[in-house]
Amino acid sequence: MDKENLILKLFELGVLQFGQFTLKSGLSSPFYLDFRRIIAYPDTLKDISEELWKMIEHLEFDHLCGVPYAALSLSSAMSMMHGKPMVVKRKEAKEHGTKKLVEGIFHAGQKCVVIDDVISSGISMIETLEAIEEAGLVVEHVIAIVDRMQGGVATLEKEGYHAMSVYTIEEILEVLYKHNKVDKEAHDQTLEFIQYNQIGYDKLRLQRTAVPKLSYSTIKVNATNKITGRLIDIIESKQTNLCCSADVNSKAALLRLADQVGPYICALKTHIDTVSDFDADLIVSLKNLAKKHNFLLFEDRKFADIGHIVMQQFTSSPLNIADWADLVTVHVVAGSSSIDALRSTGKLENTGLIVVAQMSTEDTLTSREYTKQALAIAQKHQDVVVGIVGQNKRPRDAGLMMLTPGISLSETGDAHGQVYNTPQEAFEERGIDIMIVGRGIYKAENPAAKAAEYRQIGWQSYLKRLGLA
Ligand code: 5IU
């Protein structure tokens, strides 16, 4: 049966329904998709399972998993028709015996395609994905019969999954309208409903994960790195979680900015290789300002090469980063060896590492899986790691900090892929610890006043998260 006729069949079987329905949420909807009915019609179950299979047959994977309950029949059918093993995610862990949440025979690192009947917000899919990944399986692709076009596909993509559907609700509507199965009114009402009932990513995150009420003092107690303690003492005594990204390109401009914003920041972030007239005096002056205003020097060098090279980049002149930076960023794209190499220089006594786990750009390659691995590396090396740079994924360990760039009170992005969030959202909804602000401050007419404003908002947002404001 072709895809168009399959829609007509699903309509005839009462799987696709149009009218007035009250959803679980209490919301009234002009359409309802009931794929549980499909188990009563084996031929159609087979046809729709074949359509799902066509989307993934060229992919490399080891297991199929259907989101309970509606998609269990779909994954079973695909499994039997194409000889692909299946795993099942339980709704609840068993009380007795093995407390496994995922049943089946598999080993860690194997790939699993996850199937659902309908994608609406993406939330039920994400809950299943978390359990499956927790069990060690790797998920890259998720598929469904219908995308309700309410934001779920975008949410899944943002979480790092490739999401596909056999149909969008719009395609279904067009076919049914063409065949006079729905009238113009139902057609238009449905499209309008979709348009006004978008479930955006950030709203979803807010509902899904309670933001940890982690305080700076709790982080300090749990930290194994003494630079974390220094940083937190500054944060608490100056009541600021603002790090200014001082991306200006001359000594004079850098020193002027550091002196202006110094009273309001916990750290000054530099890209020291972009200072055109860099010399050793600059470092002496920066250190003096850091002392005068009590902030840390944070060189955003993003060490990323093989160990043998990052050691040289960290210690060699003329920049001599190891001699003055209190914090430095490191990518772990090369694995733990970058951290091991930096440690082996013997110069991490006074310098803490910040692992880049996620980037703020529109099409960053720091996928969910990458971020997870980067967090695991950061956690494993807590003796030298102070925290991570991330957007919405905190390390599980309470001794690590989360620093977040891409923060602005007024902008939503720039011309080169940067994506901004507000300080309020970052602290209250994403649970970050330090915000990194560059252009929002140094491009302002009065950088000192702007830094003071960011400091005030950042601190209030932190207190609000703890329930103290
Ligand atoms: N930075 C990002 N995004 C990232 C990482 C670093 O913006 O994911 I990792 C740096 C780049 C710049 C600063 O130095 O943070 C942000 O500056 P603006 O606030 O001017 O965009």
Side-chain angles (χ1 to χ4, degrees), residues 167-183:
Y167 304 110
T168 62
I169 188 66
E170 193 170 8
E171 283 166 3
I172 289 176
L173 271 175
E174 295 315 322
V175 169
L176 294 178
Y177 181 55
K178 191 173 97 182
H179 291 271
N180 295 318
K181 303 292 181 194
V182 296
D183 57 19

Side-chain angles (χ1 to χ4, degrees), residues 359-367 416-419:
M359 291 198 70
S360 61
T361 39
E362 242 159 33
D363 57 348
T364 174
L365 299 184
T366 53
S367 65
H416 304 285
Q418 175 71 299
V419 178

Side-chain angles (χ1 to χ4, degrees), residues 245-247 269 271 300 302 329 331 356-361 389-391 405-408 414 418 420 436-442:
S245 186
D247 300 320
K269 188 171 83 62
H271 285 287
D300 192 5
K302 299 196 183 74
T329 41
H331 273 300
V356 178
Q358 245 180 336
M359 291 198 70
S360 61
T361 39
V389 176
Q391 292 296 318
I407 301 281
S408 173
D414 69 6
Q418 175 71 299
Y420 290 115
I436 298 173
V437 183
R439 282 162 285 184
I441 291 174
Y442 67 78

Side-chain angles (χ1 to χ4, degrees), residues 304-364:
D305 216 315
I306 60 167
H308 178 62
I309 301 301
V310 298
M311 287 160 74
Q312 297 172 46
Q313 291 172 324
F314 183 44
T315 57
S316 301
S317 55
L319 301 181
N320 297 318
I321 295 169
D323 294 340
W324 56 270
D326 302 301
L327 299 167
V328 291
T329 41
V330 52
H331 273 300
V332 287
V333 64
S336 298
S337 54
S338 302
I339 294 182
D340 290 332
L342 291 170
R343 186 195 279 107
S344 75
T345 61
K347 292 200 160 211
L348 290 185
E349 255 316 282
N350 299 309
T351 308
L353 304 181
I354 305 288
V355 169
V356 178
Q358 245 180 336
M359 291 198 70
S360 61
T361 39
E362 242 159 33
D363 57 348
T364 174

Side-chain angles (χ1 to χ4, degrees), residues 156-454:
L156 288 160
E157 299 275 343
K158 278 201 177 177
E159 289 276 321
Y161 304 102
H162 177 222
M164 295 177 277
S165 68
V166 177
Y167 304 110
T168 62
I169 188 66
E170 193 170 8
E171 283 166 3
I172 289 176
L173 271 175
E174 295 315 322
V175 169
L176 294 178
Y177 181 55
K178 191 173 97 182
H179 291 271
N180 295 318
K181 303 292 181 194
V182 296
D183 57 19
K184 178 110 178 65
E185 199 188 344
H187 171 274
D188 293 352
Q189 263 183 4
T190 305
L191 286 184
E192 193 179 335
F193 173 85
I194 293 161
Q195 195 187 342
Y196 289 104
N197 286 280
Q198 291 291 314
I199 308 158
Y201 183 64
D202 292 322
K203 199 162 143 200
L204 193 71
R205 290 209 64 82
L206 187 61
Q207 291 168 357
R208 183 160 73 93
T209 37
V211 173
K213 291 191 191 296
L214 212 53
S215 69
Y216 295 119
S217 41
T218 306
I219 298 174
K220 186 177 165 183
V221 171
N222 284 284
T224 43
N225 185 311
K226 67 178 191 312
I227 294 145
T228 311
R230 275 178 63 202
L231 177 56
I232 287 180
D233 287 345
I234 296 174
I235 292 175
E236 290 192 316
S237 65
K238 292 172 74 176
Q239 300 204 332
T240 177
N241 44 38
L242 170 63
C243 165
C244 177
S245 186
D247 300 320
V248 291
N249 308 119
S250 72
K251 274 171 64 176
L254 179 53
L255 293 172
R256 190 168 54 243
L257 180 65
D259 205 16
Q260 287 170 327
V261 303
Y264 312 107
I265 61 174
C266 60
L268 186 81
K269 188 171 83 62
T270 50
H271 285 287
I272 212 72
D273 56 350
T274 64
V275 178
S276 54
D277 51 351
F278 172 88
D279 61 15
D281 286 347
L282 171 63
I283 297 303
V284 175
S285 307
L286 272 180
K287 278 177 135 174
N288 284 337
L289 287 171
K291 205 165 176 187
K292 174 179 165 193
H293 296 297
N294 194 23
F295 59 75
L296 295 190
L297 293 174
F298 176 9
E299 168 57 18
D300 192 5
R301 178 58 185 78
K302 299 196 183 74
F303 298 106
D305 216 315
I306 60 167
H308 178 62
I309 301 301
V310 298
M311 287 160 74
Q312 297 172 46
Q313 291 172 324
F314 183 44
T315 57
S316 301
S317 55
L319 301 181
N320 297 318
I321 295 169
D323 294 340
W324 56 270
D326 302 301
L327 299 167
V328 291
T329 41
V330 52
H331 273 300
V332 287
V333 64
S336 298
S337 54
S338 302
I339 294 182
D340 290 332
L342 291 170
R343 186 195 279 107
S344 75
T345 61
K347 292 200 160 211
L348 290 185
E349 255 316 282
N350 299 309
T351 308
L353 304 181
I354 305 288
V355 169
V356 178
Q358 245 180 336
M359 291 198 70
S360 61
T361 39
E362 242 159 33
D363 57 348
T364 174
L365 299 184
T366 53
S367 65
R368 186 186 168 90
E369 187 57 26
Y370 181 94
T371 301
K372 207 164 117 186
Q373 303 285 353
L375 292 180
I377 290 176
Q379 266 154 231
K380 194 166 145 217
H381 296 274
Q382 284 184 54
D383 57 324
V384 290
V385 173
V386 167
I388 59 115
V389 176
Q391 292 296 318
N392 52 27
K393 275 262 172 288
R394 268 206 83 87
R396 276 217 189 113
D397 206 291
L400 287 172
M401 305 192 78
M402 176 167 170
L403 291 74
T404 302
I407 301 281
S408 173
L409 283 167
S410 55
E411 304 297 316
T412 55
D414 69 6
H416 304 285
Q418 175 71 299
V419 178
Y420 290 115
N421 290 292
T422 62
Q424 292 92 333
E425 199 215 305
F427 285 101
E428 291 168 42
E429 295 174 22
R430 300 183 178 211
I432 75 160
D433 301 310
I434 292 180
M435 62 176 161
I436 298 173
V437 183
R439 282 162 285 184
I441 291 174
Y442 67 78
K443 288 265 192 211
E445 217 167 285
N446 182 344
K450 245 323 163 211
E453 186 184 341
Y454 273 95

Side-chain angles (χ1 to χ4, degrees), residues 1 41 66 74 98 115 137 155 245 260 284 309 328 404 429 456:
M1 190 175 283
Y41 307 100
L74 301 167
T98 56
I115 304 137
L137 285 161
T155 290
S245 186
Q260 287 170 327
V284 175
I309 301 301
V328 291
T404 302
E429 295 174 22
Q456 162 75 11

Side-chain angles (χ1 to χ4, degrees), residues 90 92-101 103:
R90 290 181 163 278
E92 308 291 342
K94 276 191 293 186
E95 293 277 321
H96 308 289
T98 56
K99 291 226 162 133
K100 279 195 300 191
L101 254 182
E103 300 286 351

